[in-house]
Amino acid sequence: MTQRLRNWLLVAPAAAWLIVMLVLPLSVVFVFSFGERAPSGGYVPAFTFEQYANLPARFTAFKNTLILAPLGTIMALLIAYPLAYQLAVRTSQRWKTLLLVLVIVPFWTSILIRSYAWIFLLGGGGIPALLASLGIEDVRLIYTPFAVLVGIVYGYLPLMVFPIYVSLERLDKRLLEASADLGAHPATTFLTVTLPMSISGIATGCMLVFILLMGEFLIPALLGGGKVFFVGNALVDLFLQSRNWAFGSAVAMMLIIIMLVTVTLYMRLISRLNVQRDDAQLM
Amino acid sequence: MLKSNLDMGNEAYTERAVASASIAELNDVSKLFGTVQAVSDMNLRIAQGEFLSFLGPSGCGKTTALRMLAGFETPTTGKVLIDGRDVSTLEPYKRPVNMVFQSYALFPHLTVGRNIAYGLKQRRPKIDSKSIDDKVTHALETVRLSGFENRRIWEMSGGQQQRVALARAIVNEPKLLLLDEPLAALDRKLRKEMQIELQDLQRDLGITFVLVTHDQEEALSLSDRICVMRAGRIVQTGTPQDLYDQPNSRYVADFVGTSNFFDGLVNQINGSTGSISLRGGRIYKSHLSGAISVGNDACLSVRPEQIRLHLSGTPETLEGKVLNRIFLGEHTEYLISQESLGNITVLAPRQSDEGLSNLGTGDTVYMDWSADAALILPKD
C-alpha cells in the first residue's frame, strides 16, 4: 500500500504538469476549432466544420513546412554526421571536450540574435556583396526558401550532432579494427559497422530536429521575411494579429494530426531498422 | 637433412623452426608512442606452421608487436615481413592475417553466421554465397558450434563467443592467426578446455598461430616456441623446455616457472661451467647460462623441485628451519629459512621416508641439490 502511495506521489507532479500544460490547452484548442470567430476577434461557441473546410486557404504554409522541415532535417543530418564522427572517432580525448563545447557555445546566445546575424550575412551587404565583388551580380539570398533552410539547419545542428555523437562515442572502436582485420575497406567498414551501429543516434537526432522544425516560426519570420512562412507563422498571425482563434485552432489541430501521422510512420520504420540494435543494447 | 632432425626432440625442433621457411619476420623493429619506447630492436622469425607465444607482463611490448603484425600499428623503424613481403606500412585490411581480439570484438548487430561470413564477403573476386555458407558451416563445425548460424551474439556464453571469434578468424585461412590474450576473459576451467581446443585446432589446420599472453602456464602448455619479452625487448626465445631448463637470465627463470635465487659472486669460469660464492661463504659449481664473466655479481638459480631434503646433515648440505608447509597432494611445498641465504622454497614429492613426511613448522632440515640441477645466471 505504501509502495502504491509512493508511486502516486512520485508521478503526481508530472501528471499535474501534463494535465495543466498539455491536456487542458489541447482540449481548449480542440473545442475552439469547431467554433466561430467573434466579430471583434476571439471565440464564439459553435459547432461547425467551417474552419476545417477553410484550411486550404493556408495551403502554402503547410506546403512550406512540409517541404522545408524534412529537407532541413536531412541537411542537418548530412552536416552533423561527419562532424559527430570526427569528434567521436577521430579526435583525441584532449581536444574532444573543447570541440564539444564549441558545438554548444551558440546556445549561449538567443536564436533571435543569431538569426539577425544571418539577416546581415544573407542580406545585401553580406554574401551577395561578396559575390558581386567576384563578378557574380544580383544574387538574392535573403527572404528566400534557401535563407530559411540555412537558418534552420544552422539553428538546429547541435541537436542533431549530440545524439549521433553519443551513439558513435559508445561504439566499440575495436569493432572497426576487427572489420579492417577481416579485410574490409574503410568505406565498407563504415557502411557495414559504423552506420548500422549509430542508427539509434541518427533516429533520435532526426526526430528531435524534425518535430521542432514542424513548429518553427522565428527563423522563417526573420529570414523568410513574410514570403517564406511556416504553419507556425500562420498561427502567430491568426491568434495574435487577426484574432481568428477558431480558424487558428483548426490549423493547429491539422498540424498536430500531420505530426502524429508522420511521427508514427517514422517510429515504425526506425523500430524495424532498430530491432537488432535494441536487443544488442540489452547486453 | 631437415627430416633427420625431426625426431631429435626440442633442440632439433628449434633448428627446424629457424631453418624452415619463415612465414613472418620482424627485422630490427622499434615502435615509439610519443616518447615511450614500446618495442625496441625486435628481431624474430616466425616459422611456417608453428605456435609461437609472446610472453611477458603488461607493458612489455607484446601486444604492440602483435598489432604491428596485424597492421594496426606501423613500426617507427625496422621492417615487418609476411610471407616474404614487406608489409611494414600496409593497411590491416590488405594483410593475409587475422586476429582474435581479447574482447572478441564480435559485431553485435550481426548473427553468428554473418559474423563468420564477414571476412569471406570482403574477398575480391567475390565468393558465391553457396561457398560462403559452406565455409561458415564448416568453420562452426570446427569450433563445435554447429547449428548456431542464426543465433545472436548476446545469446552466446563467453566461451561460445570465444569460439565464434576463432571461427570468424580461421574461416579466412589466414597465413598468420594472431591471438591477443584470447582466453583471459574465461574462467579457469573453460580456459583449460579452450587451451586444448586451440592446440588441436592449430595442429589440424596447420596455420601459424601467434599468441600474446601474460600467463606463463598458458604459454608453456600451448607453444612450440615462446618469446619472453621485457620492456620492449626480447629476452629469450626458445621452446618451453629450453626456457625452463636453460633460462638466460634471472628474469626468464623467474617468469617461466618459479625458482630460488641466491645472490653471489662468480669466482671462476671454465667453459660452460663455473663457480659462484654465495653469501655465507659457500661455493657452488654449476652450469652457466647467459652472459657472465669472473667477478660479476650473479645468482644461483635452483628450482624448488630440484632441492632434496634430508633429516641429517653432511658438510655439503645446508641447514634450515621449516617456516611453513603447504600440502598440495602429490607434492608438499616447504618454506625453509636458511641463515645466510634467506627463505628457500622446496617442492618435495610425497613418499620419501616417514621422517620427512612428518616434518612440521620449526623442525630442522638439511638441503642439497645436484650441480646439474642449478644454473648460474646473470643478475638483472
Side-chain angles (χ1 to χ4, degrees), chain B residues 128-143:
Chain B
D128 63 286
S129 60
K130 178 76 175 68
S131 323
I132 290 183
D133 289 347
D134 288 347
K135 279 172 193 274
V136 169
T137 310
H138 183 70
L140 277 171
E141 248 167 55
T142 312
V143 296

Side-chain angles (χ1 to χ4, degrees), chain A residues 174-175 177-186 188-189 192-193 196-197 276-277 279-280 283, chain B residues 67 70 72 92-93 97-99 101 103 105-109 115 118-119 122 152 154 168 172:
Chain A
R174 280 166 300 195
L175 294 178
E177 286 192 344
S179 175
D181 184 67
L182 290 165
H185 187 274
T188 314
T189 299
T192 55
V193 181
M197 302 283 289
Q276 307 163 352
R277 286 291 307 142
D279 289 339
M283 276 203 306
Chain B
R67 288 174 62 84
F72 298 132
Y93 70 94
V97 303
N98 285 116
M99 183 144 154
F101 291 81
S103 53
L106 296 169
F107 303 119
H109 60 301
N115 261 280
Y118 194 89
Q122 311 305 329
R152 296 275 168 196
W154 68 90
R168 187 177 70 172
N172 304 297

Side-chain angles (χ1 to χ4, degrees), chain A residues 128-140:
Chain A
L130 195 71
L131 290 173
S133 73
L134 295 170
I136 308 165
E137 304 276 346
D138 285 335
V139 177
R140 186 177 166 73

Side-chain angles (χ1 to χ4, degrees), chain A residues 85-163:
Chain A
Y85 182 84
Q86 190 70 25
L87 282 173
V89 182
R90 304 201 155 212
T91 307
S92 70
Q93 206 57 49
R94 202 152 51 106
W95 289 99
K96 228 175 232 180
T97 321
L98 178 72
L99 292 174
L100 276 175
V101 169
L102 286 182
V103 174
I104 316 174
V105 160
F107 274 131
W108 296 352
T109 314
S110 157
I111 182 73
L112 188 69
I113 292 164
R114 288 183 285 138
S115 296
Y116 267 107
W118 276 108
I119 292 183
F120 172 76
L121 282 172
L122 299 171
I127 295 169
L130 195 71
L131 290 173
S133 73
L134 295 170
I136 308 165
E137 304 276 346
D138 285 335
V139 177
R140 186 177 166 73
L141 295 175
I142 192 72
Y143 308 145
T144 61
F146 173 77
V148 176
L149 192 61
V150 168
I152 58 184
V153 169
Y154 164 79
Y156 289 97
L157 195 63
L159 289 182
M160 187 67 94
V161 171
F162 277 99

Side-chain angles (χ1 to χ4, degrees), chain B residues 233-254:
Chain B
R233 289 175 194 279
I234 298 178
V235 184
Q236 191 175 4
T237 307
T239 64
Q241 203 174 340
D242 282 347
L243 295 180
Y244 194 83
D245 293 340
Q246 298 288 321
N248 70 359
S249 59
R250 178 177 173 155
Y251 177 77
V252 174
D254 201 21

Side-chain angles (χ1 to χ4, degrees), chain A:
Chain A
M1 276 314 269
T2 41
Q3 178 69 42
R4 218 183 138 94
L5 186 68
R6 192 160 36 188
N7 285 349
W8 272 109
L9 284 174
L10 284 171
V11 170
W17 173 270
L18 265 180
I19 289 167
V20 175
M21 297 296 187
L22 185 75
V23 179
L24 283 181
L26 258 184
S27 312
V28 170
V29 169
F30 183 73
V31 172
F32 275 25
S33 72
F34 296 102
E36 280 171 351
R37 180 181 190 268
S40 58
Y43 166 73
V44 176
F47 185 77
T48 162
F49 290 97
E50 199 185 317
Q51 312 303 343
Y52 286 95
N54 243 338
L55 279 176
R58 298 289 163 164
F59 176 72
T60 322
F62 280 102
K63 190 190 75 179
N64 284 340
T65 309
L66 285 172
I67 291 174
L68 287 171
L71 197 62
T73 308
I74 290 166
M75 292 290 293
L77 173 64
L78 291 180
I79 297 171
Y81 199 96
L83 177 61
Y85 182 84
Q86 190 70 25
L87 282 173
V89 182
R90 304 201 155 212
T91 307
S92 70
Q93 206 57 49
R94 202 152 51 106
W95 289 99
K96 228 175 232 180
T97 321
L98 178 72
L99 292 174
L100 276 175
V101 169
L102 286 182
V103 174
I104 316 174
V105 160
F107 274 131
W108 296 352
T109 314
S110 157
I111 182 73
L112 188 69
I113 292 164
R114 288 183 285 138
S115 296
Y116 267 107
W118 276 108
I119 292 183
F120 172 76
L121 282 172
L122 299 171
I127 295 169
L130 195 71
L131 290 173
S133 73
L134 295 170
I136 308 165
E137 304 276 346
D138 285 335
V139 177
R140 186 177 166 73
L141 295 175
I142 192 72
Y143 308 145
T144 61
F146 173 77
V148 176
L149 192 61
V150 168
I152 58 184
V153 169
Y154 164 79
Y156 289 97
L157 195 63
L159 289 182
M160 187 67 94
V161 171
F162 277 99
I164 299 175
Y165 170 81
V166 169
S167 70
L168 285 172
E169 169 71 27
R170 226 174 21 188
L171 169 70
D172 183 353
K173 306 303 177 291
R174 280 166 300 195
L175 294 178
L176 307 181
E177 286 192 344
S179 175
D181 184 67
L182 290 165
H185 187 274
T188 314
T189 299
F190 177 77
L191 290 175
T192 55
V193 181
T194 314
L195 198 58
M197 302 283 289
S198 56
I199 280 286
S200 61
I202 295 174
T204 311
C206 286
M207 178 84 117
L208 218 58
V209 171
F210 178 73
I211 290 176
L212 290 173
L213 280 184
M214 289 291 281
E216 179 64 37
F217 74 95
L218 186 67
I219 296 170
L222 293 176
L223 299 177
K227 292 198 178 72
V228 186
F229 44 86
F230 275 27
V231 176
N233 303 90
L235 290 175
V236 171
D237 178 52
L238 287 170
F239 278 96
L240 303 181
Q241 311 295 317
S242 50
R243 291 178 49 78
N244 191 344
W245 292 5
F247 187 43
S249 296
V251 171
M253 285 312 296
M254 193 61 211
L255 184 63
I256 290 169
I257 290 164
I258 292 172
M259 292 275 270
L260 277 178
V261 172
T262 42
V263 170
T264 309
L265 289 177
Y266 177 80
M267 296 277 264
R268 286 245 175 105
L269 175 76
I270 291 302
S271 71
R272 195 167 302 166
L273 274 174
N274 225 4
V275 166
Q276 307 163 352
R277 286 291 307 142
D278 285 345
D279 289 339
Q281 278 162 4
L282 295 177
M283 276 203 306

